[in-house]
Amino acid sequence: MQVPSAQATAAASLLALEEVSCRFGGLLALDRVSLQVQPGEIFGLIGPNGAGKTTLFNLISGVGRPTAGSIRWSDGAINGLPPDRINRLGIGRTFQNLRLFQRLSCLENVLIGLHHSARAPLLPALLGQRSFRQSQGELRQRALELLELVDLADTARQPAGSLPYGSQRRLEIARALATAPRLLLLDEPAAGMNPIEKEELSALIRRLRSRFDLTVLVIEHHVPLMMSLCDRLAVLNFGRRIALGTPESVRHDPAVIEAYLGVSA
Amino acid sequence: MSDLSLLVQMGFGALLALSVYLPLRCGQLSLATPGFYVIGGYVAALLSTRWPALSGAGTGYPLTSLALELVVAALVAAAVALVLGRPVLQLRGIYLAIATIALVEILRVLNLNLAWSGGAVGIFGIPQPFAGPGGYALATWVLLALVCWLCARLEAMRLGRAMAAIRDDELAARCMGIPSADVKLTAFVISAVIAALTGVLAAHFLNTWNARQGGFDASITTLAFVVFGGSRIWLGPVLGGLVITALPELLRPVGDLRLILFGLVILLGPILFPQGLITPERLARLQQTLRRP
Ligand SMILES: Nc1ncnc2c1ncn2[C@@H]1O[C@H](COP(=O)(O)OP(=O)(O)O)[C@@H](O)[C@H]1O
Ligand SMILES: [Mg+2]
């Protein structure tokens, strides 16, 4: 996998945020944030709690609207589009606070992600004809493969809500992958995992990137993990982007050391 | 009431319960079912009494005319549901319930006051396609079987899965690419069609039709069917509709106590079985016990 340089131009970027702001009443959750994500890179977003990272994901995925600025995807503006449209354009996401379909099985959760691959002619479906059953069988097979990829094949029939925390996080990734995204937004995918699980997750994200030609935007608090995982990082603090660059340059950025890393550095 | 007539009423109950169930299955508490039931009934009443060509030459009312009424009622209900559904389904939870109750009430008041619907007295002398309750029972239960089959198939299709997803977490479903507004509208339209088809049969069965057939209490009764039976799998509302419709008749031998007992059942059902009598988990367990010899 070819990793683009930090100087790559905005024109070639997959996702470009230009001066994006988001205001909640008196709170400016995002303040003129600009950044570009290049195809194929793993782009990290770090910053203290309340910095606006999740808000940024919400704006990109259509869950919220920016109050100013524009979000460009490939070559069109997507701000203001509803979340289902944005997903169809190739942006998949997970949620920091786990939003699985709790009562449904793991398999069904992934099948729901495969909604748009599950299109079938109405009449054979209603009559339960062989052609429909066959296509459903293939669909289940694909869902099972995705579950296997995140190491959840054994729990395919269990309700999603009954899984341990770490497994639920991986199920969210499988469900998002099922929607065939080109860009995957991962909101604290390692939260609640132990150090070994975190390492495995990091390897999984790299594997998924090369297997599905993915671009990944990831939020995570564990800084050493992010330093080794990400090609580039942006640092948010109080809604502002205070640094952007390779892990090495971010690590030595005085503003970052003061605002965020200062504690541990 | 004859046993066959009771069977017809029970079938109507189950059909209306399924009509309430479909929007509820994607989390939409719509109480518009009695409105579409009334629309179906008026389509049947008006077509069969005001359009002589439909009555045919023979003694009974032709079944082909009944079939035509069913088609027209389905189309009218679907059209109304399509137009109303977009704006109304943007409301959530209890607000949707209140808005749909208001729709049903507006329709009732309109029908009470319009000339063509027969005003307060309604429409009389609706012709009979069947000689007795037996024919009605057959027609109703055939329709019920068809609708059950449709609901069962739905559960195996992506539309059924999308509905379950929206019910669990609409925002997450949308982020997975599911166009939730379209899915909810589809469920609303199918629900309307089921209610209207039931209305057609009911108008002929009752021989007369008026605005009182659907109103606030009908909204609550049909909702009770689903609350009692369960709203997660189609068998629940069917059971709820059948049992709650039959209960007042079955309790007749206990005399004056029957209304109290009826109330108790409606009250205790949801307390003892908060998810309704029938849930997928309970069904699976039942199947397992039956399979084990
Ligand atoms: N829907 C909302 N309404 C009001 N305030 C919000 C909303 N979403 C987030 N915020 C606020 O915006 C700020 C940024 O939150 P968030 O994006 O979740 O931060 P992070 O993910 O970086 O921890 C916080 O102060 C939070 O309370
Ligand atoms: Mg967050």
Side-chain angles (χ1 to χ4, degrees):
Chain A
M1 167 105 357
Q2 173 196 349
V3 177
S5 73
Q7 293 85 28
T9 56
S13 63
L14 187 64
L15 177 78
L17 277 69
E18 277 154 37
E19 304 265 303
V20 169
S21 299
C22 182
R23 181 179 282 285
F24 297 113
L27 177 84
L28 195 55
L30 288 173
D31 186 5
R32 285 164 293 154
V33 172
S34 296
L35 53 87
Q36 280 113 34
V37 181
Q38 311 305 329
E41 75 178 330
I42 296 181
F43 190 106
L45 212 51
I46 57 178
N49 272 327
K53 305 179 298 293
T54 297
T55 303
L56 198 70
F57 270 22
N58 285 344
L59 300 188
I60 298 170
S61 60
V63 172
R65 286 163 173 264
T67 37
S70 85
I71 304 174
R72 302 181 65 77
W73 167 249
S74 294
D75 42 15
I78 56 166
N79 34 326
L81 289 185
D84 47 308
R85 287 279 309 283
I86 290 188
N87 176 271
R88 294 323 303 139
L89 292 173
I91 301 179
R93 73 167 290 177
T94 66
F95 297 90
Q96 179 181 350
N97 302 318
L98 290 172
R99 302 188 73 142
L100 289 165
F101 307 117
Q102 300 270 334
R103 284 190 301 201
L104 306 182
S105 71
C106 295
L107 189 72
E108 284 169 315
N109 268 273
V110 178
L111 282 173
I112 286 160
L114 286 168
H115 184 77
H116 285 274
S117 317
R119 181 180 291 281
L122 187 62
L123 207 61
L126 282 178
L127 298 177
Q129 282 175 354
R130 181 204 290 270
S131 66
F132 175 73
R133 289 202 308 271
Q134 210 159 25
S135 70
Q136 292 305 293
E138 284 160 16
L139 206 65
R140 294 178 97 77
Q141 200 50 47
R142 273 174 69 186
L144 275 174
E145 278 163 22
L146 284 166
L147 282 176
E148 215 156 296
L149 218 54
V150 297
D151 211 11
L152 287 174
D154 295 340
T155 54
R157 312 223 155 263
Q158 288 178 25
S162 73
L163 299 187
Y165 211 58
S167 305
Q168 292 200 26
R169 294 232 171 257
R170 293 201 311 278
L171 180 56
E172 277 227 342
I173 296 178
R175 183 181 66 170
L177 278 176
T179 69
R182 278 193 288 155
L183 172 68
L184 187 59
L185 311 176
L186 301 175
D187 197 345
E188 305 203 12
M193 290 185 174
N194 64 37
I196 298 169
E197 287 176 314
K198 279 186 181 169
E199 268 316 309
E200 286 170 356
L201 180 79
S202 179
L204 174 69
I205 293 173
R206 279 200 214 90
R207 255 202 327 275
L208 294 177
R209 162 173 69 173
S210 43
R211 168 143 182 196
F212 295 101
D213 271 330
L214 279 178
T215 307
V216 181
L217 196 51
V218 54
I219 297 173
E220 179 52 53
H221 281 298
H222 192 59
V223 175
L225 180 112
M226 292 291 268
M227 293 284 169
S228 68
L229 173 66
C230 299
D231 302 312
R232 285 196 304 150
L233 284 163
V235 185
L236 285 185
N237 195 25
F238 293 113
R240 289 229 176 82
R241 195 202 79 193
I242 58 168
L244 172 74
T246 60
E248 201 50 33
S249 71
V250 165
R251 193 200 305 270
H252 297 112
D253 193 309
V256 178
I257 292 170
E258 189 191 325
Y260 183 54
L261 302 178
V263 199
S264 56
Chain B
M1 199 191 298
S2 81
D3 288 352
L4 281 174
S5 295
L6 181 61
L7 266 187
V8 177
Q9 302 272 18
M10 288 165 66
F12 291 164
L15 281 162
L16 293 178
L18 284 168
S19 164
V20 178
Y21 159 76
L22 278 171
L24 211 53
R25 196 166 178 280
C26 46
Q28 309 305 301
L29 182 55
S30 158
L31 298 176
T33 288
F36 292 107
Y37 173 70
V38 164
I39 288 176
Y42 274 117
V43 167
L46 289 171
L47 285 179
S48 61
T49 59
R50 310 265 159 100
W51 194 7
L54 280 185
S55 296
T59 44
Y61 186 73
L63 286 177
T64 46
S65 302
L66 181 68
L68 181 80
E69 288 171 20
L70 288 167
V71 171
V72 174
L75 290 176
V76 170
V80 173
L82 267 177
V83 172
L84 290 181
R86 276 278 173 216
V88 168
L89 289 172
Q90 284 177 8
L91 300 171
R92 273 159 220 284
I94 197 74
Y95 299 101
L96 175 63
I98 291 169
T100 47
I101 288 175
L103 282 177
V104 172
E105 283 299 300
I106 290 169
L107 193 69
R108 190 180 66 87
V109 173
L110 275 181
N111 284 328
L112 270 178
N113 293 291
L114 289 176
W116 55 264
S117 61
V121 280
I123 297 171
F124 282 100
I126 299 173
Q128 296 298 303
F130 305 109
Y136 282 105
L138 184 67
T140 307
W141 282 74
V142 166
L143 180 62
L144 177 59
L146 273 173
V147 172
C148 285
W149 166 77
L150 179 79
C151 291
R153 289 308 304 159
L154 210 61
E155 260 140 60
M157 290 160 59
R158 69 169 192 161
L159 180 61
R161 283 194 297 268
M163 285 165 69
I166 292 170
R167 180 180 184 163
D168 250 22
D169 188 335
E170 181 172 357
L171 183 75
R174 297 187 71 189
C175 287
M176 298 308 127
I178 289 174
S180 63
D182 295 349
V183 172
K184 290 193 281 189
L185 188 63
T186 308
F188 189 64
V189 169
I190 303 176
S191 152
V193 169
I194 295 171
L197 295 177
T198 312
V200 169
L201 292 182
H204 283 283
F205 177 69
L206 298 174
N207 199 306
T208 164
W209 200 251
N210 56 51
R212 280 182 303 282
Q213 294 302 328
F216 178 62
D217 28 341
S219 291
I220 297 306
T221 315
T222 45
L223 179 63
F225 296 161
V226 185
V227 171
F228 182 81
S231 61
R232 288 179 52 208
I233 187 164
W234 61 272
L235 217 51
V238 171
L239 187 80
L242 294 177
V243 169
I244 295 189
T245 312
L247 210 53
E249 289 303 317
L250 298 181
L251 289 176
R252 205 172 274 285
V254 299
D256 288 344
L257 264 179
R258 80 181 171 131
L259 284 180
I260 296 174
L261 276 179
F262 180 69
L264 265 183
V265 169
I266 303 257
L267 187 71
L268 287 181
I271 292 178
L272 296 178
F273 304 98
Q275 296 205 25
L277 277 186
I278 297 188
T279 64
E281 292 80 20
R282 222 166 270 148
L283 267 187
R285 238 175 295 141
L286 189 69
Q287 268 173 356
Q288 261 176 8
T289 3
L290 289 182
R291 226 173 276 147
R292 213 175 296 136

